[in-house]
Amino acid sequence: MKKFLVLGILFALPITAYLFFASGKNNFAKLPVLTENVQDITSFESNTGDPISFKDHISVVAFFGSDLENIKGNTFNLDKKILEKYYDFDDFQFVIILPKDAKDETSEFVEEFKKISESSKWKIAYSDLQDIQKVFASFQTPHKLDKSGHTPYVFIVDKSGNLRGRDDDEEYGKVYGYDSRDVAELNNKMNDDVKVILAEYRLALKKNNPERKK
């Protein structure tokens, strides 16, 4: 009986790993590119003093505006349903883009979340609202920023600086961004899509480095 149990576990583990990366609608297909070459943010200030770039990273990008008190619930949803699962993946980053007038509040905001998340890994970029609007416009989405530079939608940008999403979603047609207020959307659509893009790069890395074990 123990022998069959061990064999069953050994058989199930690789299947479970496969399902983790390939589960859901996209099933190992590449996540569609919706907008090519979004504007980079290397000229923006950052919370670390080092430039932040979308290039060579898989980025979850949030435009959260200057009223940080009102987006704590959104950030909590995003962190628990998406971010905490992927912080340890190489080249994955969470980028929050904020107006400069939110800078004074940011340290307190990050410190508060340290109690429940790995907020020390968040990358925060600051600029004038006009420059933030230009970056957001380059994403070419149907969504809008409000007067504080905020949208509840968060976005996936790939290592080449392209916006990724869905082009044949059964509910919305095209999905440019994911509503951070909607736990079900984060847990299902976005989580699935982050898995797909991570698997895509992982497979490409293995293909280019056949001797690599991981």
Side-chain angles (χ1 to χ4, degrees):
M1 184 67 181
K2 288 183 179 179
K3 180 180 179 180
F4 286 113
L5 180 61
V6 171
L7 289 173
I9 292 172
L10 291 175
F11 178 74
L13 281 176
I15 294 176
T16 302
Y18 173 84
L19 289 174
F20 174 80
F21 286 104
S23 63
K25 181 177 179 294
N26 286 298
N27 288 328
F28 248 62
K30 288 187 176 182
L31 195 65
V33 172
L34 299 182
T35 305
E36 294 184 350
N37 299 318
V38 303
Q39 184 175 322
D40 209 348
I41 55 172
T42 52
S43 63
F44 286 18
E45 296 180 37
S46 76
N47 59 323
T48 63
D50 297 320
I52 299 172
S53 176
F54 298 142
K55 300 293 185 180
D56 299 320
H57 292 86
I58 300 166
S59 307
V60 170
V61 183
F63 296 82
F64 274 170
S66 56
D67 192 352
L68 301 183
E69 186 67 30
N70 284 339
I71 53 89
K72 287 181 178 178
N74 300 22
T75 308
F76 178 82
N77 292 341
L78 185 61
D79 190 80
K80 291 304 173 187
K81 295 301 177 181
I82 305 295
L83 303 173
E84 69 176 12
K85 303 175 185 178
Y86 304 110
Y87 281 131
D88 293 330
F89 280 76
D90 292 340
D91 304 327
F92 178 85
Q93 63 179 4
F94 174 42
V95 180
I96 306 175
I97 298 177
L98 303 175
K100 288 180 179 179
D101 59 8
K103 191 182 297 186
D104 292 341
E105 295 180 61
T106 304
S107 296
E108 183 179 344
F109 181 71
V110 172
E111 285 297 319
E112 184 173 343
F113 270 87
K114 279 183 180 178
K115 304 169 187 175
I116 54 175
S117 74
E118 295 187 66
S119 59
S120 60
K121 295 186 177 182
W122 297 356
K123 295 185 178 181
I124 304 174
Y126 306 98
S127 193
D128 297 327
L129 188 56
Q130 183 177 3
D131 292 330
I132 292 173
Q133 290 278 9
K134 289 179 180 177
V135 171
F136 184 79
S138 77
F139 282 43
Q140 298 179 31
T141 81
H143 308 301
K144 305 293 182 184
L145 295 184
D146 68 14
K147 62 182 180 181
S148 75
H150 166 262
T151 177
Y153 291 91
V154 293
F155 307 91
I156 299 173
V157 177
D158 69 16
K159 291 185 177 185
S160 298
N162 300 321
L163 177 68
R164 299 290 196 99
R166 298 187 177 198
D167 58 8
D168 61 349
D169 183 70
E170 67 279 0
E171 188 175 2
Y172 300 117
K174 286 190 176 182
V175 174
Y176 290 86
Y178 309 83
D179 192 341
S180 61
R181 300 166 297 186
D182 188 335
V183 172
E185 185 166 314
L186 296 178
N187 200 42
N188 297 317
K189 295 180 191 293
M190 187 175 189
N191 189 45
D192 180 44
D193 292 354
V194 172
K195 288 178 187 177
V196 170
I197 194 169
L198 286 171
E200 176 187 328
Y201 279 108
R202 186 180 179 87
L203 287 173
L205 186 62
K206 285 186 176 181
K207 183 178 180 180
N208 294 328
N209 299 276
E211 296 181 0
R212 185 183 175 94
K213 295 181 179 179
K214 293 185 180 180

